[in-house]
Amino acid sequence: MIQANLLNKHAGRIVLSQLLVLLALMVPLFAGMSVGMAGVIVSDYEASHALAVPSMVLLLCWLCRADISIALAAQRGSYWGVAFILLGLLMYAMLSWPFAFGYPKRLSLIPLIAGVILAIGGWRLLRLSVVMLLLVAVAIPIGTRYYAFAVIKPETMTLAICARLLDVLPGVMVAGKGLDLTYVYQGAEGPIALGEPFRGASMLLAYLTLCIFVAGARIRPWWQLVVLAGIAIPVVLFCNLLRLFVFGLVTIYGATGSVSTAPRVAATIISLVFCYILFGLLTWSLGQVIVVDGQASSVEG
Amino acid sequence: MTRRLETVGRYFPVPVLAAGIVLLAASLGLPSMLNWLDIRFEKKPIEIRKTLMNFEFENFASFSPVPQTDHFNVPAEVPGIETDEWIHLTYDFNTAASTRPRDRQVLLLLSYYSDPRDKVSHTPEVCYRQAGWTLNDISAVTVAVGGLTGAPVIQARLLDFEHDGSGVVVLYIFVSNGRFYADRERMRLAIGMPGDRHVYYAKIETVARFFKPQDREAAVERCRRLLAEAIVPMVQRYLPEDERARDRYPGLF
């Protein structure tokens, strides 16, 4: 039955060509901006998670190909797509003139892409694309000042908690002052995460990207997406804390010196793998829960 | 002809075609239109009436100037201040209960900007942290602009820091084109508003230290009072004249 509703190859090619043509029409609007964004993504490791986003989106498309095919076969494009595109263009125009807000202007890409998807495949396809759109939104480099302002509280808390955790380790004394953490261990002293621009709130968007990808690897009901969105925030904050803690551990016990990249590499790898496993487990656990008569209950197997 | 249209319709259904037309029109026309608007309505800088260096000769009812101190080690943003018009002054609160200078002093930081391409100056909640200050809280307080009939009550941003074992409160506002703002992004929006041919903004910031939690309120009050009194000479003698601001705040501008 499902096979009968799948889109045939020819129709699939038509949809793909429509998508490419409409996206190509957006190039003159975003070409300059894209070059700037690419520069940031390549040079700033806080934005480097964006490098993985195209592969993630393609992989999600592949994983959801049957659903996408059914959605395209079952529904035609919607005129609401044009409304979304107009909204995106209005946002783009207003944030170019009279106002000049770089990051929100870059975000106008999202309603435009959503409008293109809606015009081609209707609401069902847009619903399937929400996770991919979120990935694109998270990949858009956020302005340093917006980020710095947004992370004030989590960064302050993370630095304070991490200082306390490291301080209880045997023979280690750690003190925090503003954004700096300094340690004393076996007569040696030094800074932790020296030179990191956001040492208490680094790679938050990388963890978030990973969470979105894990959540989107399967088609889920809305309630699960809402629950996962709620879970993702503490997971992201916890992985951030873990990252700084590991950074501190390797710096202190590894006696790596303040200019070594080893603590950063170790902390990054460990925290990313931990984030993937933790969120994967939570997502899997949620998958074991079904809604029966409006009540969530756990099922065996 | 009909067959051709059918073929086009198959490849590009009406919603897709409509989306394509809108995107094509936008790609062709929008960048040049925005560019034209930008040039046509370009805003110009406007000079400050009197250099802020003269501010040290201003008298306040509740404060007396004190010789330059270490500014409580305030990072003061000087390297990244991005303007030549700025001054940092220290004042003594005349009616303070304590006789110790550290419980009486308030720092006043003023800066003026008038480049339309400015992205709005650095704000203490972001910049001071990089100098080793720990930000504990951000809140808002109201400030009744000092001693004028019908003077406005404005909202200012209050920051609670910890630095070198003491508490520090920072209170600041922006004044831009005759309006007051406590929020940087709201002011950026206001700067972009079409209509004004010139653009300027100034930041008025006060900083006070306290060493015991129970002294925090007194420190906030010192900051609030100095801010309220400093606004008056700032807008009346330093910031550019503005007819509309005069209507908006009679007696102040």
Side-chain angles (χ1 to χ4, degrees):
Chain A
M1 183 67 184
I2 288 173
Q3 287 299 323
N5 289 334
L6 286 175
L7 206 66
N8 65 47
K9 260 188 183 172
H10 178 65
R13 278 188 199 130
I14 291 176
V15 167
L16 195 62
S17 55
Q18 288 169 357
L19 184 69
L20 290 175
V21 167
L22 292 184
L23 291 180
L25 287 172
M26 284 160 51
V27 169
L29 290 173
F30 288 93
M33 209 190 285
S34 303
V35 172
M37 283 198 282
V40 174
I41 289 165
V42 171
S43 61
D44 182 4
Y45 77 88
E46 283 292 339
S48 56
H49 60 278
L51 290 170
V53 165
S55 317
M56 285 177 167
V57 170
L58 288 175
L59 191 57
L60 288 181
C61 288
W62 176 254
L63 290 170
C64 304
R65 63 191 182 282
D67 297 277
I68 291 172
S69 183
I70 292 166
L72 284 167
Q75 205 173 1
R76 306 196 64 166
S78 165
Y79 287 104
W80 278 102
V82 180
F84 269 59
I85 289 171
L86 287 171
L87 177 76
L89 290 172
L90 182 71
M91 200 171 149
Y92 176 92
M94 294 285 287
L95 295 167
S96 303
W97 188 91
F99 308 109
F101 288 81
Y103 176 60
K105 183 182 167 184
R106 293 196 284 270
L107 282 179
S108 64
L109 193 61
I110 303 302
L112 280 171
I113 298 176
V116 166
I117 292 167
L118 203 48
I120 292 172
W123 290 101
R124 207 164 155 183
L125 186 67
L126 183 65
R127 188 203 168 286
L128 291 171
S129 313
V130 165
V131 172
M132 296 149 203
L133 285 171
L134 273 176
L135 280 173
V136 176
V138 176
I140 292 172
I142 187 167
T144 317
R145 284 198 64 88
Y146 287 111
Y147 188 75
F149 186 75
V151 300
I152 286 174
K153 279 198 174 169
E155 188 170 30
T156 309
M157 276 175 61
T158 304
L159 286 163
I161 295 169
C162 192
R164 285 192 184 179
L165 287 175
L166 290 169
D167 199 50
V168 297
L169 294 172
V172 178
M173 273 173 61
V174 174
K177 187 182 172 191
L179 299 176
D180 302 320
L181 289 183
T182 46
Y183 72 92
V184 179
Y185 177 63
Q186 289 184 342
E189 64 177 288
I192 293 169
L194 182 74
E196 299 272 299
F198 296 105
R199 66 202 64 161
S202 189
M203 295 180 60
L204 297 183
L205 294 174
Y207 303 127
L208 191 60
T209 302
L210 214 51
C211 292
I212 295 170
F213 176 69
V214 172
R218 232 187 74 186
I219 306 296
R220 296 171 191 285
W222 280 109
W223 71 268
Q224 279 197 12
L225 289 176
V226 171
V227 172
L228 286 173
I231 293 171
I233 296 162
V235 167
V236 165
L237 295 175
F238 184 75
C239 292
N240 174 50
L241 175 66
L242 178 75
R243 177 187 179 276
L244 189 61
F245 183 72
V246 174
F247 206 125
L249 274 185
V250 179
T251 307
I252 297 166
Y253 289 113
T256 54
S258 54
V259 290
S260 168
T261 54
R264 184 207 278 182
V265 172
T268 302
I269 293 171
I270 290 171
S271 61
L272 282 174
V273 170
F274 182 81
C275 179
Y276 182 77
I277 293 171
L278 178 64
F279 200 72
L281 278 173
L282 291 168
T283 311
W284 176 81
S285 310
L286 197 66
Q288 304 303 301
V289 177
I290 59 165
V291 174
V292 182
D293 295 330
Q295 281 186 323
S297 64
S298 188
V299 288
E300 299 291 325
Chain B
M1 183 68 182
T2 322
R3 237 179 107 184
R4 247 185 216 172
L5 279 175
E6 271 175 16
T7 314
V8 171
R10 196 145 47 88
Y11 280 90
F12 291 99
V14 185
V16 177
L17 205 59
I21 291 167
V22 170
L23 282 172
L24 182 68
S27 291
L28 292 176
L30 199 55
S32 41
M33 189 185 86
L34 292 170
N35 200 27
W36 179 81
L37 284 168
D38 206 25
I39 294 166
R40 174 73 182 79
F41 297 100
E42 189 190 7
K43 294 188 180 186
K44 305 267 188 290
I46 184 165
E47 286 294 312
I48 194 164
R49 269 189 278 177
K50 203 156 79 164
T51 175
L52 287 177
M53 289 298 157
N54 290 323
F55 214 87
E56 61 181 304
F57 305 114
E58 296 292 342
N59 294 311
F60 299 115
S62 320
F63 296 89
S64 326
V66 294
Q68 293 292 306
T69 61
D70 62 356
H71 295 323
F72 319 150
N73 295 323
V74 167
E77 311 160 32
V78 174
I81 203 160
E82 294 163 10
T83 176
D84 296 330
E85 277 301 338
W86 61 270
I87 192 163
H88 298 166
L89 298 162
T90 309
Y91 289 92
D92 190 67
F93 188 31
N94 297 335
T95 53
S98 171
T99 52
R100 284 181 302 186
R102 70 181 197 184
D103 294 333
R104 301 169 60 93
Q105 287 184 354
V106 198
L107 183 61
L108 177 68
L109 315 172
L110 303 170
S111 50
Y112 177 85
Y113 301 80
S114 185
D115 184 345
R117 288 159 299 182
D118 264 346
K119 293 284 171 71
V120 177
S121 70
H122 298 244
T123 47
E125 59 264 49
V126 172
C127 298
Y128 288 11
R129 294 174 71 233
Q130 288 157 11
W133 294 39
T134 305
L135 180 61
N136 292 328
D137 196 27
I138 301 177
S139 53
V141 293
T142 52
V143 176
V145 177
L148 291 163
T149 316
V153 174
I154 56 173
Q155 217 171 46
R157 179 163 285 187
L158 176 65
L159 311 172
D160 271 275
F161 283 102
E162 207 178 295
H163 177 58
D164 277 349
S166 71
V168 189
V169 285
V170 177
L171 193 63
Y172 76 87
I173 55 149
F174 289 109
V175 191
S176 174
N177 287 22
R179 287 181 191 273
F180 297 99
Y181 301 93
D183 183 277
R184 178 180 179 270
E185 299 309 324
R186 281 190 62 194
M187 196 186 69
R188 282 187 69 189
L189 267 176
I191 285 174
M193 283 290 183
D196 296 315
R197 294 297 288 161
H198 296 96
V199 65
Y200 77 84
Y201 66 88
K203 188 170 71 166
I204 309 175
E205 181 181 332
T206 52
V207 184
R209 248 179 143 155
F210 61 96
F211 293 84
K212 291 181 211 145
Q214 61 268 32
D215 293 338
R216 180 188 169 273
E217 274 315 303
V220 172
E221 191 47 39
R222 288 202 299 278
C223 283
R224 197 202 304 248
R225 188 78 75 89
L226 181 57
L227 190 72
E229 293 189 17
I231 287 171
V232 182
M234 185 73 170
V235 299
Q236 289 184 343
R237 291 193 279 281
Y238 293 84
L239 299 184
E241 285 182 87
D242 189 327
E243 286 297 324
R244 281 177 298 175
R246 217 166 276 154
D247 298 338
R248 209 175 294 129
Y249 303 111
L252 178 57
F253 276 84

